[in-house]
Amino acid sequence: MSHSTTISSSASVFETAGRYTTTLLRVESAAGTTCNNCCSSSVGAVPALPPPKPLLIATPCEAGEFPLLIFLHGYLLQNSFYSQLIQHVASHGFIVIAPQLYEVAGADSTGEIKSAAATTNWLSEGGLRDVLPPNVHPNLSKLGLAGHSRGGKTAFALALTKAATTLKFSALIGVDPVDGMDKGKQTPPPVLTYVPHSFDLDMAVMVIGSGLGEVRRNPLFPPCAPKGVNHEDFFNECRKPACHFVVKDYGHLDMLDNDTKGIRGKATYCLCKNGESREPMRRFVGGIVVAFMKAYLDGDASELMSIRYGHETAPVELQTVEFLE
């Protein structure tokens, strides 16, 4: 799944094919590396230092030095379910690393936090350079951290130094983050404190919410992003600089690939209240992540401000746009 079309550098951040051709790399934690439509036959070599967890990496193919984004999947989901999203981001000039934190997990996310930290430390140990296309270089001084759902909670926990990392994060993104089933029913370790602006984070933060995330699909299932532990609560505890975008009429899992395979993949269409299609929400999430990363990793906030003030037309209707600055 690589983009074969390269378009001009003036492309909207919401374009799913930016100025760079991309490829997906699968890096096993011990056995080796495979890829889809690799940029070069040299890609796919086994890294001298295998990562602590299997990785899905979306990367530009063209030569250059690129900022990085670590992306953490949601509860019981596969990193492959985000293939289209992370390739969208990569096509605009970023290397996106999505670890598979676990296959089965209970309520406690401590292991996921430690695995995310270990993956971050692996980047600084040089293993990533062994698997990237020739002349593609990671800029480890420009590192963002993002996560969806429970992966969003994990990202916040890691940024709040619940586990030590050798690299410093410069930007944090929560994609419809969730900290348990309800207020007072947080999964361990709890992240939310319910004290406004209590997050002591030395980085810019963006929180993305789904308007339908707190709506039950049917009486048998709880909402996927319940009030009291969702995006609103995470943003309330952020300090400046921070921003909050809530997408109307789309659900908690609408940023996943259209075709999510297997039993878990089919369940993503059954458990949460969804919008009419995934493509608009996925394209918005990819675009706003690109704009935010450009603002706080590359120092160019023009596209983020254009979205904030409505000059850049988003593919969805936004019910909330908030900035702390």
Side-chain angles (χ1 to χ4, degrees), residues 54 70-82 97-105 112 146-155 256 264:
I70 296 176
F71 188 93
L72 308 179
H73 61 81
Y75 184 55
L76 297 180
L77 299 180
Q78 299 290 324
N79 55 7
S80 60
F81 293 173
Y82 303 88
I97 300 100
Q100 186 64 46
L101 297 174
Y102 55 82
E103 291 297 334
V104 179
E112 296 144 61
H148 169 230
S149 189
R150 176 154 144 168
K153 166 202 172 92
T154 302
L256 301 183
R264 294 184 189 184

Side-chain angles (χ1 to χ4, degrees), residues 6-125:
T6 301
I7 61 178
S8 72
S9 60
S10 62
S12 164
V13 294
F14 296 120
E15 293 287 344
T16 58
R19 62 178 295 200
Y20 295 97
T21 307
T22 65
T23 192
L24 279 177
L25 311 174
R26 289 181 172 83
V27 186
E28 299 302 324
S29 55
T33 303
T34 60
C35 66
N36 288 348
N37 295 331
C38 291
C39 311
S40 167
S41 60
S42 65
V43 176
V46 179
L49 179 66
K53 291 291 181 179
L55 305 178
L56 186 65
I57 300 174
T59 177
C61 292
E62 290 82 358
E65 184 178 67
F66 302 98
L68 287 86
L69 176 68
I70 296 176
F71 188 93
L72 308 179
H73 61 81
Y75 184 55
L76 297 180
L77 299 180
Q78 299 290 324
N79 55 7
S80 60
F81 293 173
Y82 303 88
S83 296
Q84 291 173 287
L85 174 63
I86 66 174
Q87 282 193 286
H88 176 166
V89 176
S91 75
H92 290 269
F94 300 93
I95 299 169
V96 187
I97 300 100
Q100 186 64 46
L101 297 174
Y102 55 82
E103 291 297 334
V104 179
D108 195 322
S109 60
T110 301
E112 296 144 61
I113 299 166
K114 292 180 178 178
S115 294
T119 299
T120 305
N121 294 339
W122 175 80
L123 299 177
S124 67
E125 293 164 352

Side-chain angles (χ1 to χ4, degrees), residues 82-258:
Y82 303 88
S83 296
Q84 291 173 287
L85 174 63
I86 66 174
Q87 282 193 286
H88 176 166
V89 176
S91 75
H92 290 269
F94 300 93
I95 299 169
V96 187
I97 300 100
Q100 186 64 46
L101 297 174
Y102 55 82
E103 291 297 334
V104 179
D108 195 322
S109 60
T110 301
E112 296 144 61
I113 299 166
K114 292 180 178 178
S115 294
T119 299
T120 305
N121 294 339
W122 175 80
L123 299 177
S124 67
E125 293 164 352
L128 180 61
R129 292 183 179 87
D130 291 344
V131 299
L132 292 176
N135 299 317
V136 171
H137 303 290
N139 186 339
L140 298 180
S141 67
K142 294 183 177 182
L143 178 62
L145 176 63
H148 169 230
S149 189
R150 176 154 144 168
K153 166 202 172 92
T154 302
F156 270 84
L158 182 57
L160 290 164
T161 64
K162 300 291 187 183
T165 59
T166 53
L167 295 175
K168 177 180 171 58
F169 297 107
S170 299
L172 173 64
I173 302 167
V175 181
D176 222 18
V178 179
D179 190 15
M181 298 297 294
D182 201 348
K183 187 174 181 179
K185 297 181 180 179
Q186 294 166 262
T187 51
V191 172
L192 294 170
T193 66
Y194 301 100
V195 177
H197 311 305
S198 59
F199 286 155
D200 186 12
L201 293 165
D202 186 21
M203 65 192 79
V205 184
M206 177 171 67
V207 180
I208 303 167
S210 63
L212 299 180
E214 58 192 40
V215 179
R216 291 175 180 266
R217 182 177 176 88
N218 59 55
L220 298 177
F221 298 115
C224 287
K227 288 186 74 67
V229 287
N230 68 12
H231 59 92
E232 291 181 345
D233 306 281
F234 278 85
F235 183 69
N236 285 342
E237 297 193 29
C238 290
R239 299 175 182 176
K240 60 183 182 182
C243 55
H244 184 206
F245 296 89
V246 182
V247 181
K248 186 180 179 182
D249 299 328
Y250 288 89
H252 183 64
L253 299 176
D254 282 338
M255 69 294 298
L256 301 183
D257 291 358
N258 287 342

